[in-house]
Amino acid sequence: MNDQSFALGKFEHPDLTAKGEQRATVALSGAKTLWFNTGTLCNITCANCYIESSPDNDRLVYMTEPEISEYLDQITVRNWPVTEIGFTGGEPFMNPDIITMLRTPLQRGFEVLVLTNAMRPMMRKRVQAGLLELQSEFGDKLTLRISLDHFDQGLHDAERGKGSFDITLQGMRWLRDNGFKMALAGRSVFGDSDAASREGYAALFKSEGFNIDAKNPATTVLFPEMDETVEVPEITTACWGILNKSPDDVMCATSRMVVKRKGAEKPVVLACTLLPYSPEFEMGETLAEAEADVKLNHRHCAKFCVLGGASCSA
C-alpha cells in the first residue's frame, strides 16, 4: 500500500484506489471497433437511458459525414486493425446525414453496426429508401441492432413509453421483409435469468420470423443496468491475477468512441462508449491521442467491464 498524507475516496484519484493501491489500466491492444455517437437527440425518453437521450438532450450534437471520413482516414494512417464501424445515439436515424454516414465506411470495406429503436425516424420514406439502397449494395455488411428492452410488451413499454413495443415491431418487420441483417439489444432490469430472457426472445423471434439467434450473446445482447450509486470495489493491478482475467478482455482494449460536444469546434475521442459525459475518459481529438492507456477510474469499469459479478477478493 502506498504511503499517503491525505485520505482518498473511491474512484477519486486517477492512479490510486481509496486504499492506496495501484489502479488498473487497460492498453489499446487491438482496435476492432470505432464507434460514432451521431448525437444524443432521440424520438423517445426512456426510463433508464445511460446517456440520457431524449427529444431535448443535445449535449452531443449531430456529427457529419466529413467528420466521419476524417476518422476513417486516421484508421488507415494509424494502421488500426478496425473491422467494424458502429453508430449509436440518441437515435441515429434522427441525424439528417445518417445514410451518407453509413455509406462511407461500407464503401471502404468496413462492417457497419447501427443501434436503433427501429421506430418512426427509421421508418421515414427518405430513410427507408436510403437503407434499401445500402442493403442492395452491401447486404450483410450492414447490421441493425434493435433495442427491444423485453419480449413482453408491458415491460418494454414501461421503459420506453406506451405503444413503443408495437412500433418497434413494425420497424423490425419491415427490416425482416427487406432482408436486412438484424441483432437485438435487451435489458436485464426485469429480474429474469439469462436463460429465461433468451427463451422469451427466442419465442418472439420464432413467432415473428426474425432471423436472430437468441442464444448467441453477440446477436442478442442483454445489457445490465447502469446504476452509478451501486457500491462496487475498485480495480487494482492485482485484480487481473485474482480474477484470472486479462486486460485485453475489457471493452476499452478494443474500441473507442467519437463524439461531438455542443459548442465544440471538433469531435473528440472517448475511451468508453458508456461514459460520454465523464471528462476523465476524453482522450483528445485524434486517434493517435486515443492510443493512450485507460485508467479504470469509474464504477462502470468495475461492475460491467471487469467484474461481471465476480469479486477482487483473494
Side-chain angles (χ1 to χ4, degrees):
M1 181 177 294
N2 293 305
D3 182 30
Q4 294 174 254
S5 59
F6 56 92
L8 288 175
K10 292 177 72 172
F11 303 104
E12 287 186 358
H13 193 281
D15 300 310
L16 301 174
T17 70
K19 295 181 179 179
E21 298 170 305
Q22 192 68 36
R23 186 177 305 286
T25 61
V26 172
L28 186 67
S29 58
K32 298 178 181 177
T33 304
L34 183 62
W35 288 93
F36 293 97
N37 187 295
T38 63
T40 40
L41 287 174
C42 187
N43 56 302
I44 57 174
T45 302
C46 298
N48 294 287
C49 179
Y50 80 94
I51 202 169
E52 301 171 2
S53 298
S54 75
D56 303 312
N57 181 6
D58 61 352
R59 291 173 68 183
L60 302 182
V61 298
Y62 287 150
M63 293 194 68
T64 64
E65 190 278 335
E67 291 168 336
I68 302 295
S69 291
E70 167 61 25
Y71 283 97
L72 299 183
D73 291 342
Q74 290 183 44
I75 288 174
T76 302
V77 171
R78 303 302 302 173
N79 198 30
W80 280 21
V82 169
T83 57
E84 178 184 60
I85 302 298
F87 292 88
T88 184
E91 170 50 50
F93 288 110
M94 289 186 68
N95 187 310
D97 215 15
I98 186 62
I99 296 299
T100 306
M101 287 162 54
L102 300 181
R103 178 179 294 279
T104 296
L106 286 167
Q107 287 178 327
R108 297 195 188 199
F110 292 102
E111 301 277 343
V112 170
L113 174 64
V114 188
L115 311 191
T116 176
N117 57 38
M119 296 176 76
R120 292 192 176 102
M122 190 195 78
M123 296 297 286
R124 288 175 294 168
K125 295 295 185 183
R126 178 184 64 81
V127 174
Q128 284 183 319
L131 283 172
L132 289 172
E133 289 180 3
L134 295 178
Q135 163 66 6
S136 175
E137 292 180 51
F138 303 104
D140 284 355
K141 297 283 284 185
L142 172 65
T143 301
L144 290 94
R145 183 194 290 167
I146 317 303
S147 296
L148 195 70
D149 287 340
H150 201 272
F151 50 83
D152 176 83
Q153 178 176 353
L155 292 176
H156 173 89
D157 283 1
E159 285 288 314
R160 293 183 173 252
K162 186 175 177 59
S164 60
F165 184 87
D166 285 339
I167 297 172
T168 292
L169 281 189
Q170 290 172 21
M172 294 181 72
R173 290 167 187 147
W174 181 83
L175 293 169
R176 173 201 65 196
D177 293 345
N178 287 284
F180 285 88
K181 185 178 179 181
M182 286 192 289
L184 183 132
R187 303 178 75 163
S188 63
V189 65
F190 308 99
D192 303 322
S193 67
D194 184 84
S197 292
R198 296 188 184 280
E199 287 176 6
Y201 280 115
L204 175 65
F205 298 162
K206 182 177 180 180
S207 68
E208 292 285 346
F210 296 149
N211 185 23
I212 306 172
D213 185 354
K215 295 183 179 180
N216 184 348
T219 54
T220 299
V221 186
L222 301 179
F223 287 104
E225 291 314 292
M226 307 187 69
D227 185 352
E228 294 192 18
T229 67
V230 172
E231 188 67 19
V232 292
E234 296 182 276
I235 304 302
T236 69
T237 54
C239 285
W240 305 122
I242 294 170
L243 297 172
N244 193 28
K245 190 166 185 175
S246 168
D248 293 345
D249 298 332
V250 182
M251 184 168 59
C252 55
T254 58
S255 70
R256 294 289 187 264
M257 183 169 75
V258 182
V259 307
K260 190 172 185 180
R261 304 196 187 283
K262 186 175 183 178
E265 183 179 345
K266 294 182 178 180
V268 292
V269 188
L270 307 184
C272 181
T273 63
L274 306 178
L275 299 167
Y277 305 129
S278 298
E280 66 269 31
F281 289 90
E282 184 173 313
M283 308 189 80
E285 295 178 355
T286 67
L287 296 189
E289 294 169 288
E291 291 172 357
D293 292 355
V294 178
K295 299 173 182 181
L296 301 184
N297 191 22
H298 195 281
R299 285 172 171 78
H300 291 348
C301 303
K303 182 177 181 182
F304 302 112
C305 294
V306 177
L307 295 177
S311 172
C312 277
S313 299

